[in-house]
C-alpha cells in the first residue's frame, strides 16, 4: 500500500469514528443546537429519530432553498425568528433565479415588508430593552412603522455612565430609509465626547 492510499484509509477511519462519536449523543439528545449549513452538510440529522420541532434564528439571512429544506425535517412544526428589517441573504449574481431563491428571505416572500410587518402567522416583538427612547423613536419611525417602543428601564440610559477612553465628536445623520453617514472627528485634548444627531427631512 502506497503512502497516499494509507493516508486515505486513515482519513476514512477517522471520519467514521468521528461520525459515531457525534451520532451517539445526537440520538438521545432532547435539544440539538447547530448551524443551518451543518444540517445541510451532514446526514447525521436525518439518521436519528425525527425531530418534532425545528427553531431557526436570524431567519432574514436564510435563503428560501435552505428554509424549505429545514421545513422538511420536523414532524410537527418549524418556528422562524428574525428581524424582517435586517439584511436579506447576500449574493453577487443578478440572475433572476438567484434573486428569487437566494436573495429573498421569507419575509419578502410573504410580503411582510410591504404590509407594515403584519401577517396572520407572525408576531412582532414591539418592546425593546436596549436603546434610549429618543433613539428608539428614530429607529421605530424610520424602519418599523412607529410600532417599536422602548421599555421603561431604558429611560435612564445615559452615555455619561460609560465614559469613553478617548474623546471623540460623533456626527450621525439619519434620513428615512437611508443611513446617510457616520462621521468621527478627534476633538481638542480635554474636550468631552459629544453626540450630535440630525434628522434630515
Amino acid at each position: 500500500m502506497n503512502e497516499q492510499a494509507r493516508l486515505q484509509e486513515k482519513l476514512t477511519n477517522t471520519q467514521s469514528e468521528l461520525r459515531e462519536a457525534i451520532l451517539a449523543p445526537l440520538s438521545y439528545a432532547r435539544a440539538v443546537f447547530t448551524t443551518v449549513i451543518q444540517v445541510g452538510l451532514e446526514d447525521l440529522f436525518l439518521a436519528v429519530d425525527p425531530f418534532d420541532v425545528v427553531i431557526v434564528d436570524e431567519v432574514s439571512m436564510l435563503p428560501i432553498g435552505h428554509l424549505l429544506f429545514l421545513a422538511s425535517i420536523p414532524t410537527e412544526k418549524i418556528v422562524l425568528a428574525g428581524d424582517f428589517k435586517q439584511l436579506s441573504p447576500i449574493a453577487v449574481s443578478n440572475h433572476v433565479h438567484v434573486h428569487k431563491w437566494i436573495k429573498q428571505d421569507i419575509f419578502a416572500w410573504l410580503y411582510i415588508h410591504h404590509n407594515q410587518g403584519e401577517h396572520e402567522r407572525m408576531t412582532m416583538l414591539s418592546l425593546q430593552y436596549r436603546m434610549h427612547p429618543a433613539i428608539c423613536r428614530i429607529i421605530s419611525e424610520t424602519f418599523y412603522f412607529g410600532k417599536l417602543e422602548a421599555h421603561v428601564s431604558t429611560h435612564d440610559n445615559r452615555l455619561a455612565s460609560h465614559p469613553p477612553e478617548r474623546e471623540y465628536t460623533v456626527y450621525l445623520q439619519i434620513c428615512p430609509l437611508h443611513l446617510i453617514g457616520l462621521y468621527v472627528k478627534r476633538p481638542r485634548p480635554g474636550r468631552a465626547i459629544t453626540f450630535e444627531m440630525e434628522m434630515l427631512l
Side-chain angles (χ1 to χ4, degrees), residues 19 26 49 66 86 91-92 96-97 105 116 135 160 163 194 200:
R19 176 184 172 83
L26 191 61
D49 290 338
H66 289 73
Q86 286 189 357
V92 177
V96 61
H97 294 309
D105 59 32
Q116 297 191 358
I135 300 175
T194 304
L200 304 180

Side-chain angles (χ1 to χ4, degrees), residues 1 3 16 44 61 64-66 73 81 87 100 110 113 119 133 138 164 172 175 183:
M1 179 183 295
E3 182 67 9
S16 178
L44 291 170
M61 286 295 294
I64 294 297
H66 289 73
I73 295 177
L87 288 176
K100 180 178 181 180
L110 298 177
H113 294 296
H119 193 274
I138 297 173
L172 179 63
C175 180
Y183 308 95

Side-chain angles (χ1 to χ4, degrees), residues 146-163:
K147 297 180 179 181
L148 186 64
E149 298 179 356
H151 187 263
V152 65
S153 63
T154 64
H155 291 194
D156 294 327
N157 288 356
R158 293 291 185 274
L159 289 173
S161 63
H162 304 283

Side-chain angles (χ1 to χ4, degrees), residues 137-150:
R137 186 165 54 253
I138 297 173
I139 302 300
S140 179
E141 294 175 358
T142 304
F143 299 104
Y144 295 97
F145 317 105
K147 297 180 179 181
L148 186 64
E149 298 179 356

